[in-house]
Amino acid sequence: MSTAQKDLATNLADTSDPSKPLSKEQIHFKEASTHISSSVFVSFEEAYNETVIMPIEKYCKYLPTFESAIGRCKRRLTDLEKAKAQHSRAVDKSANDPFILSQANEAIDYAENVYETLKSSLIEEIPKLVNARIFVIEPSFKSLIKLQLEFFKQCLENLTPPPTATNSLNNESDDVIDHKMNSIMQQIRDLSVCNLSV
């Protein structure tokens, strides 16, 4: 949007009558749009990357690790089922051979131990990963709302909005803004999508 404002200001200036100087309004709009694009938006983007994108990216990096662990657990379950099948065949064919039966039992015990260890770890860790989304997504979403509010506030200030709008924005303290943010976040918490329990 800031780039579009800058382009609009440039196009308005370019299509103006070259024999006449730009009006004060045109000059101000062009300067304000340039400042918004080159400064205000740059500051917004830096804060956005640091407080919104990076935390979510860090959280999402854990997902492939868990996916890989789930895949290993499935493969170990397959190994356990194979060991049980081999044990069943050993009982049928070599019921009188204690060595073969002992090997078959050991194979089952090993496969079952590996599978149960992986499964127990996943049962313990997956709920932590799911619940951690609250501590990542909620602050990031709250930061996004604050950043957007501050960005549009600065846009309005640079573009010189009507006095009533300017006064209304400038008179809002951080406490008032925080109260509004908390109200919005409470509404979001009330949504069923945020009430998942594990």
Side-chain angles (χ1 to χ4, degrees), residues 11 21 24 26 29 44 47-48 54 68 71 75 77 89 107-108 119 125 127 130 138 148 156 163 169 182 185:
N11 291 334
K24 291 181 179 180
Q26 288 175 315
F29 181 62
F44 166 82
Y48 173 75
M54 290 175 63
S68 176
R75 290 193 293 273
L77 177 60
R89 288 194 295 270
I108 288 180
K119 185 177 76 170
E125 296 299 327
V130 174
E138 182 173 321
Q148 287 179 324
L156 286 173
L169 284 169
N182 290 332
M185 295 308 298

Side-chain angles (χ1 to χ4, degrees), residues 1 4 22-23 27-28 38 44-45 49 60 66 68 73 76 78-79 84 86 143 151 160-162 171 173 182 190:
M1 189 184 73
L22 296 176
S23 66
I27 293 173
H28 174 76
S38 62
F44 166 82
E45 192 170 38
N49 287 331
C60 289
F66 277 83
S68 176
C73 188
R76 297 295 80 82
T78 301
D79 292 343
K84 288 180 177 180
Q86 290 173 353
S143 176
F151 173 73
T160 315
N171 289 336
S173 65
N182 290 332
D190 293 337

Side-chain angles (χ1 to χ4, degrees), residues 107-119:
I108 288 180
D109 291 341
Y110 175 78
E112 189 170 19
N113 181 60
V114 173
Y115 169 69
E116 290 297 335
T117 300
L118 283 172
K119 185 177 76 170

Side-chain angles (χ1 to χ4, degrees), residues 125-193:
E125 296 299 327
I126 287 179
K128 295 179 182 178
L129 176 71
V130 174
N131 292 332
R133 79 196 188 282
I134 298 172
F135 304 104
V136 175
I137 296 176
E138 182 173 321
S140 295
F141 189 73
K142 189 172 183 179
S143 176
L144 174 60
I145 294 173
K146 282 190 171 184
L147 287 171
Q148 287 179 324
L149 179 62
E150 181 62 24
F151 173 73
F152 290 119
K153 175 183 174 182
Q154 291 189 41
C155 285
L156 286 173
E157 290 174 349
N158 279 275
L159 293 170
T160 315
T164 53
T166 303
N167 293 338
S168 174
L169 284 169
N170 290 338
N171 289 336
E172 285 193 347
S173 65
D174 290 339
D175 290 339
V176 174
I177 293 175
D178 285 339
H179 177 73
K180 289 183 177 180
M181 292 303 100
N182 290 332
S183 176
I184 293 172
M185 295 308 298
Q186 185 57 51
Q187 293 178 39
I188 294 172
R189 292 188 192 99
D190 293 337
L191 298 175
S192 59
V193 71

Side-chain angles (χ1 to χ4, degrees), residues 86-87 90-91 93-94 97-106:
Q86 290 173 353
H87 179 272
V91 170
K93 295 181 179 180
S94 308
D97 191 332
F99 177 74
I100 293 178
L101 292 177
S102 176
Q103 281 188 322
N105 286 329
E106 287 178 2

